[in-house]
Amino acid sequence: GESVGLHLPTLSVQEGDNSIINCAYSNSASDYFIWYKQESGKGPQFIIDIRSNMDKRQGQRVTVLLNKTVKHLSLQIAATQPGDSAVYFCAENIPGNQFYFGTGTSLTVIP
Amino acid sequence: NAGVTQTPKFQVLKTGQSMTLQCAQDMNHEYMSWYRQDPGMGLRLIHYSVGAGITDQGEVPNGYNVSRSTTEDFPLRLLSAAPSQTSVYFCASGEHPISEQYFGPGTRLTVT
């Protein structure tokens, strides 16, 4: 299957700092990407998505950047808060109705 | 609006037993899917459905069956449980494949 990888398995940041979580994808045909947040014992929760015809999309305190040239996706969280501590997954959709998930990055916010 | 619900929350099976994991959504979503999540790994797609009466295999379908007789329900059947199927199972739904997917709370399955 397709691989969706994350550069760093763990990330620790100080409260109030900005966080950047990276994701590499391998299939140039992927046309839709989603970032999910998963808290312990819960199902993944949608954060933000981006289609392949866009380079950047902003939400509330979050920004997703897509670099199709190097097949790289990043999630930026502004002014990180303790409630942002969780595992973050990127997922890519390759035309064919299937999503492939990365292995996840664990974000820890230090008060 | 309950969203996506899954039952049971926890289940212990003996090798060779069969069972059905239930999934229901009340958002009238056409697309539904089942994933398993193992420690240190991302979610892997087991089966999915793009509408009632239509199902297809995902990345890891072996040992699992699905059916979609209604828009709301998408049960996952384990035919003969094996220890390798010990995992956390998540059901998800979305308006269509290229859209936000809503996940249920998960079923933690242990096969001894």
Side-chain angles (χ1 to χ4, degrees):
Chain A
E2 296 296 326
S3 65
V4 179
L6 297 172
H7 294 314
L8 295 173
T10 62
L11 178 65
S12 296
V13 298
Q14 290 290 139
E15 181 178 358
D17 287 351
N18 296 335
S19 303
I20 299 176
I21 301 172
N22 296 304
C23 177
Y25 64 95
S26 58
N27 195 312
S28 56
S30 296
D31 59 0
Y32 179 64
F33 305 85
I34 300 180
W35 279 101
Y36 287 96
K37 173 186 180 183
Q38 186 176 28
E39 296 174 295
S40 181
K42 297 184 178 179
Q45 179 185 4
F46 174 92
I47 302 173
I48 192 167
D49 59 0
I50 188 167
R51 297 184 187 277
S52 58
N53 60 354
M54 303 171 69
D55 297 322
K56 179 179 179 179
R57 189 150 191 241
Q58 288 184 294
Q60 189 177 11
R61 282 201 306 119
V62 294
T63 300
V64 55
L65 299 178
L66 176 63
N67 185 330
K68 295 180 285 294
T69 302
V70 296
K71 292 189 286 226
H72 183 267
L73 196 68
S74 68
L75 176 71
Q76 300 177 0
I77 305 173
T80 313
Q81 303 167 0
D84 294 327
S85 293
V87 177
Y88 290 81
F89 294 95
C90 67
E92 65 176 317
N93 182 278
I94 302 164
N97 301 324
Q98 299 194 29
F99 276 95
Y100 292 89
F101 281 74
T103 53
T105 292
S106 177
L107 174 66
T108 300
V109 181
I110 304 165
Chain B
N1 209 352
V4 179
T5 58
Q6 292 183 238
T7 56
K9 285 188 167 51
F10 301 94
Q11 183 70 50
V12 179
L13 290 178
K14 293 189 188 317
T15 298
Q17 288 185 317
S18 62
M19 78 159 296
T20 299
L21 278 63
Q22 301 291 344
C23 174
Q25 52 93 7
D26 60 0
M27 296 172 282
N28 203 32
H29 287 164
E30 290 296 327
Y31 184 80
M32 295 187 74
S33 53
W34 276 101
Y35 293 87
R36 61 177 288 172
Q37 184 174 33
D38 301 302
M41 301 183 71
L43 285 78
R44 292 183 292 168
L45 182 65
I46 304 171
H47 285 285
Y48 65 95
S49 169
V50 297
I54 306 169
T55 63
D56 208 341
Q57 296 181 349
E59 190 181 352
V60 288
N62 292 340
Y64 307 96
N65 270 358
V66 292
S67 60
R68 185 95 180 269
S69 56
T70 67
T71 299
E72 293 78 20
D73 300 298
F74 191 43
L76 177 72
R77 296 183 187 84
L78 277 70
L79 308 172
S80 178
S84 62
Q85 293 179 305
T86 293
S87 189
V88 181
Y89 292 84
F90 289 101
C91 178
S93 75
E95 289 185 3
H96 46 80
I98 318 295
S99 68
E100 177 179 351
Q101 302 296 306
Y102 296 81
F103 281 80
T107 294
R108 184 173 295 274
L109 176 68
T110 302
V111 182
T112 61

